[in-house]
Amino acid sequence: MMSLLLLLAANAASAEILVTASLTPVDEANSPASATVIDARRVDALGEAQTIDLLRLVPGVSVAQTGARGSQAQVRIRGAEANHSLLFIDGIRFTDPAAGNEARFETLTADGIGRIEVVRGPQSALWGSEAIGGVIALETPDAAPGLSISGLGEYGSRDSLRLAGTVAAGGERGGATLTVSRQESDGIDILGGGGGDRDGYGNTTIGLKGVARPAENAEFGVAARYVDAYAEFDGTDPLTFLRADTDDNSTTRTGAVRVWATLGTDPGTPWRFTVDGQYLGSANRNFDGDVPLNRSFGDRFAVSGKLERRLDLGGTRHSLIALVEREDESFKARDQEFGGFTDQDRTRGRTAFVGEWRADWGDVLTTDLAVRHDDFNRFADETTFRAGALARLGGGFAIAGSYGEGIAQPTFFDLYGFFPGSFVGNPDLIPERSREFELGLRWQSERAALSVTAFDARLRDEIVGTFDSTTFLSSAANATGISKRRGVELAGALTPIDGLRLSANYTWLDAKDQQVAGTPRLREVRRPRHSANAAFDYEAGPLTLGGSVAYVGKRRDTDFDLFPAATVMLGDYALVGFRAAYRLTSAIEAFGRIENAFDADYQDVVGYATPGRAVHAGLRLRFGA
């Protein structure tokens, strides 16, 4: 077996709180879930402009971006599909119902993000649809006491500009944080070869988070986010349907807000009750130059109530949690390209009932059981289950094991189609279903941590495309075969001296698609068999250093420019990044950073070039608390 490496991101001696490994926040050391936390110190030290470049460093995570910054980015966890990664931002479910239930990772900047949490493995028993591969949670940091103002300005290669400003105010009874950021770049020629024009992008993001604690045992909060993103890209020739240097561009606008109220925030209180309401709306528009092609709109409204009972029984501690949730989604499609023939208006809804029981059996054993029933109004209902246990063996060793189930509902496109006379929806589809077993061994001391985790997953009823050669119509269907995903994640962390944190991980993944009768199973596309990452951050007085290496092994892809479409192998690559910052005064910090330091020439998606080496420099200002 390959040697143990070092785990990503967290100081081995620190105690992280996981917000999505349970219906209530739990101590990472007491959770059976496989999770990675990238804290604010690591985020600041690496200084990445986009969140996906931090997610690349997480064990079991594969990122595929179709070209330059701003172009479509897909995240796959443990070999699952791109629409099997559930994203939360400050507790807001941020998948886009108008984009195939996927999260728009290409639109997520890292400015204003203070913490990233990734929980791997099926989590649908807690969070419902799309949580097959795992859950990703981004959080705005809570406001520190007092008033603080900070700003960042950065300029770099390809005429890239980055501006961000944050105002935060906090006190004994709560606080609020507002962040506004702007990023833009001339980009690159996505098709490569140097013969085409550059495909640029721009992004404006506004984030707000406020929490009020009017009494010791109560909390009220609001979180909101608005993203306005623009991206140019090279699409396909309308006559040959081959990749071409086109004038395609798109705009994506997403706005979301969440409000919540909790009674019983004191851990010593036996009861806790939370009500939560959130809304997300998205608008996606596609153009050929200045000519509109089509538009899609989606929105989601959800309300929930959660009741928790905490009790101690004979030296054991228990949390019993019940949750009821109602969610309604709508989808609209409009087009100019086909004279309105793709126009449609659809709605769907679900009601969910969730129960969870967490128990600490003394200092030796922790167990966690959860069950969820989703009552869908457009397709078959689903019930999912999760069970996990963590046993402490002494000497810093622990064994963790779990079984989890996941589902992913059909997209609006799957159900109702989207291309006139060519793609016909299938309203008889049922949700995709997955189940996974995992077993891990962990060891932790004051300055070091090591872990090894093995997992085995099966995906049933996968929604796949179909083609009828007699009618020349395409559609979607639930596959009869089973997709298999298994792997091993090795990870560790080390703090050899004060101020320096080292980390790395390695993942071996074997992801196979459904077996067609008489043919061997094939490896799933865009999922490397081997991947490895390393990162560090260092603080010493006014100096801050951060660096990372992300290695992606060879992986399959499908080239649709060939007829018939052919399987190709994408080469492996390593992305190296480094950042150095120095505080000139208590309020002014100068920094420089480099992306793809060794100018790796690589592709995440066949036929689409990616950025080479880029150098950036800037200033950060901080005033107040």
Side-chain angles (χ1 to χ4, degrees):
M1 180 177 287
M2 297 151 182
S3 60
L4 280 180
L5 300 176
L6 302 171
L7 174 69
L8 173 75
N11 185 331
S14 65
E16 292 287 355
I17 299 298
L18 301 179
V19 298
T20 56
S22 170
L23 290 177
T24 188
V26 295
D27 189 334
E28 182 181 21
N30 294 325
S31 174
S34 292
T36 295
V37 174
I38 306 177
D39 61 13
R41 175 177 160 182
R42 178 59 60 87
V43 172
D44 287 342
L46 295 181
E48 298 288 0
Q50 293 194 315
T51 303
I52 56 169
D53 292 315
L54 295 167
L55 293 174
R56 284 181 185 272
L57 302 174
V58 176
V61 171
S62 305
V63 174
Q65 187 155 24
T66 312
R69 302 296 190 197
S71 57
Q72 183 186 34
Q74 295 182 318
V75 173
R76 296 174 171 88
I77 304 175
R78 286 186 171 177
E81 302 299 327
N83 64 326
H84 295 171
S85 301
L86 181 57
L87 173 68
F88 290 100
I89 302 181
D90 288 331
I92 303 170
R93 190 184 188 99
F94 230 78
T95 52
D96 187 352
N101 297 347
E102 291 190 27
R104 304 299 297 270
F105 287 102
E106 67 271 15
T107 70
L108 303 182
T109 65
D111 296 313
I113 298 299
R115 187 178 185 274
I116 299 173
E117 176 182 304
V118 181
V119 179
R120 300 182 292 280
Q123 306 297 322
S124 289
L126 296 176
W127 307 114
S129 184
E130 283 77 68
I132 285 182
V135 175
I136 299 170
L138 311 181
E139 290 186 44
T140 301
D142 291 330
L147 174 66
S148 65
I149 301 173
S150 63
L152 177 147
E154 177 186 278
Y155 182 79
S157 301
R158 305 178 191 95
D159 203 22
S160 298
L161 178 66
R162 178 184 180 188
L163 301 171
T166 298
V167 177
E172 293 182 0
R173 294 298 185 182
T177 302
L178 172 67
T179 298
V180 180
S181 69
R182 173 66 184 175
Q183 296 184 16
E184 56 186 51
S185 173
D186 287 349
I188 64 170
D189 175 14
I190 291 179
L191 284 187
D197 62 337
R198 289 187 173 185
D199 300 293
Y201 82 98
N203 183 301
T204 300
T205 298
I206 303 173
L208 170 68
K209 180 182 177 181
V211 177
R213 302 178 182 90
E216 293 184 359
N217 217 20
E219 176 182 284
F220 300 91
V222 59
R225 181 163 293 260
Y226 175 75
V227 179
D228 185 346
Y230 166 82
E232 300 171 343
F233 60 96
D234 291 326
T236 57
D237 186 283
L239 298 178
T240 66
F241 297 101
L242 301 179
R243 290 187 295 269
D245 185 22
T246 65
D247 291 327
D248 286 83
N249 61 88
S250 66
T251 62
T252 298
R253 294 186 176 94
T254 305
V257 62
R258 172 185 173 230
V259 294
W260 72 92
T262 300
L263 298 177
T265 57
D266 188 339
T269 303
W271 294 93
R272 178 185 295 173
F273 178 66
T274 300
V275 292
D276 188 299
Q278 54 183 269
Y279 171 81
L280 178 142
S282 67
N284 307 293
R285 294 175 170 86
N286 295 309
F287 300 83
D288 180 2
D290 295 327
V291 179
L293 298 178
N294 53 67
R295 300 165 291 163
S296 63
F297 306 90
D299 65 12
R300 175 187 301 117
F301 178 72
V303 293
S304 66
K306 180 176 64 177
L307 180 64
E308 178 182 359
R309 175 71 166 100
R310 293 166 287 195
L311 65 160
D312 295 335
L313 296 173
T316 64
R317 297 181 300 277
H318 303 262
S319 291
L320 301 173
I321 308 169
L323 179 143
V324 179
E325 181 181 61
R326 174 65 190 183
E327 178 183 274
D328 291 280
E329 293 181 327
S330 69
F331 169 74
K332 298 179 181 180
R334 298 289 184 268
D335 86 81
Q336 292 76 40
E337 186 177 14
F338 304 108
F341 284 103
T342 68
D343 290 1
Q344 56 178 296
D345 295 81
R346 308 291 183 180
T347 62
R348 67 184 180 195
R350 65 170 176 83
T351 302
F353 305 91
V354 190
E356 183 183 11
W357 171 32
R358 289 185 51 83
D360 291 313
W361 307 92
D363 296 327
V364 177
L365 180 66
T366 295
T367 58
D368 188 0
L369 302 174
V371 62
R372 178 187 183 106
H373 179 76
D374 284 287
D375 184 355
F376 297 102
N377 71 346
R378 299 300 185 201
F379 36 80
D381 299 346
E382 290 288 343
T383 300
T384 48
F385 176 74
R386 192 192 74 167
L390 174 72
R392 302 167 192 84
L393 307 179
F397 286 94
I399 294 178
S402 66
Y403 167 81
E405 297 174 344
I407 61 170
Q409 60 186 332
T411 70
F412 281 106
F413 294 128
D414 293 331
L415 292 169
Y416 305 114
F418 63 91
F419 196 86
S422 177
F423 187 93
V424 179
N426 181 358
D428 295 326
L429 291 170
I430 63 174
E432 300 172 292
R433 298 181 295 128
S434 178
R435 67 106 179 103
E436 180 182 290
F437 293 92
E438 73 168 56
L439 182 65
L441 176 65
R442 307 173 186 176
W443 173 80
Q444 183 168 337
S445 70
E446 184 178 353
R447 287 186 175 268
L450 296 170
S451 69
V452 55
T453 303
F455 61 89
D456 187 287
R458 298 287 187 271
L459 176 66
R460 301 174 184 271
D461 300 318
E462 182 176 2
I463 298 173
V464 297
T466 63
F467 179 74
D468 189 330
S469 59
T470 59
T471 63
F472 295 97
L473 294 178
S474 299
S475 187
N478 291 106
T480 57
I482 299 174
S483 297
K484 298 182 178 181
R485 293 90 186 260
R486 57 178 180 157
V488 178
E489 298 163 349
L490 306 175
L494 180 65
T495 306
I497 59 174
D498 292 342
L500 175 62
R501 305 190 303 178
L502 306 172
S503 60
N505 59 74
Y506 165 79
T507 300
W508 175 79
L509 174 68
D510 183 26
K512 301 288 183 64
D513 61 10
Q514 299 98 359
Q515 186 174 18
V516 179
T519 63
R521 289 185 181 273
L522 297 176
R523 287 168 56 186
E524 297 269 23
V525 300
R526 302 176 190 173
R527 274 151 277 203
R529 185 181 291 267
H530 304 283
S531 60
N533 309 289
F536 80 92
D537 58 68
Y538 176 67
E539 292 183 354
L543 178 66
T544 299
L545 301 176
S548 65
V549 180
Y551 171 77
V552 178
K554 296 179 179 180
R555 60 238 174 270
R556 292 176 65 253
D557 205 352
T558 304
D559 191 345
F560 292 100
D561 268 9
L562 303 177
F563 184 82
T567 297
V568 298
M569 188 65 71
L570 300 178
D572 61 345
Y573 65 88
L575 297 180
V576 178
F578 179 76
R579 179 181 182 272
Y582 191 85
R583 288 196 304 276
L584 303 176
T585 70
S586 60
I588 303 175
E589 178 184 73
F591 65 87
R593 66 184 185 92
I594 184 169
E595 300 173 346
N596 193 4
F598 293 105
D599 203 25
D601 184 10
Y602 69 99
Q603 292 184 352
D604 277 337
V605 178
V606 64
Y608 291 94
T610 48
R613 182 187 298 113
V615 179
H616 307 266
L619 293 174
R620 173 177 284 169
L621 309 178
R622 291 177 172 141
F623 303 97

